[in-house]
Amino acid sequence: QCEFVDIFNPSAGTGSACINITANSDNWTITNNHFYQTSSYANLITNTYYSIIVNSGSNHAITGNYIGGTAPNCGGTPLNITNGTMDFDAIFFGASVGGDVNVSGNTISNIAFTTTMTIGAYPVVGIALQGSANYTCGSSGNGNTIGDMNSTGNITITNNSGSGSLGFIGIY
């Protein structure tokens, strides 16, 4: 179990990824970790920010992770991102991922996102599943949780651009 704290680098000129699995990578297990920010980020650039991105390989397990908030277990105040034109994907699997992949028991919650995007887009994505993998995305008693059924406003998206429509994707 690890805590990944203040993982984004808004001054880098590109997006950021806390865990980035790329070429020649099979059988990764990323389990029971906490990804959170202790301070707000403002004016982020147009690139995507990820907590976990898997771009290749096969037979991965991403389970029991917590993404969001300002403390472990998605606790504290919301992970707060404001005034950017970028997007945030909590867990992302790219088109080159194959084999059997288990994505279960993850929690993505306590996020406040304010954007100035002007095009139809999805500024916040919980879990993106691309490629030809055989995905197991949750199971009986071990599903993924995105947001919180017991509280209103657990994930909020505010569009300050004055135009365009934005959406939210939990899992796709």
Side-chain angles (χ1 to χ4, degrees):
Q1 173 179 339
C2 295
E3 291 184 24
F4 296 91
V5 183
D6 297 332
I7 55 177
F8 301 132
N9 184 358
S11 64
T14 62
S16 291
C18 183
I19 295 177
N20 186 359
I21 299 173
T22 58
N24 303 314
S25 301
D26 291 327
N27 303 306
W28 275 78
T29 299
I30 302 170
T31 300
N32 298 329
N33 299 292
H34 303 266
F35 301 83
Y36 58 93
Q37 299 293 134
T38 60
S39 60
S40 297
Y41 283 106
N43 299 319
L44 297 181
I45 56 173
T46 58
N47 295 303
T48 303
Y49 287 75
Y50 306 93
S51 293
I52 301 169
I53 180 171
V54 181
N55 269 321
S56 71
S58 60
N59 304 318
H60 304 296
I62 312 297
T63 61
N65 298 289
Y66 293 85
I67 300 170
T70 57
N73 300 308
C74 300
T77 57
L79 185 158
N80 192 22
I81 301 171
T82 62
N83 299 327
T85 57
M86 50 67 76
D87 58 308
F88 171 66
D89 293 5
I91 300 172
F92 180 90
F93 289 90
S96 296
V97 176
D100 294 325
V101 175
N102 180 13
V103 186
S104 300
N106 299 292
T107 300
I108 301 163
S109 68
N110 203 9
I111 298 169
F113 190 96
T114 302
T115 185
T116 54
M117 286 180 154
T118 58
I119 59 170
Y122 300 103
V124 178
V125 175
I127 301 171
L129 307 172
Q130 299 179 5
S132 61
N134 178 26
Y135 289 103
T136 299
C137 191
S139 59
S140 180
N142 195 29
N144 295 290
T145 301
I146 300 173
D148 184 344
M149 293 291 292
N150 297 313
S151 68
T152 302
N154 186 265
I155 296 177
T156 61
I157 301 170
T158 303
N159 181 2
N160 286 337
S161 71
S163 65
S165 63
L166 302 174
F168 166 77
I169 295 180
I171 301 173
Y172 86 93

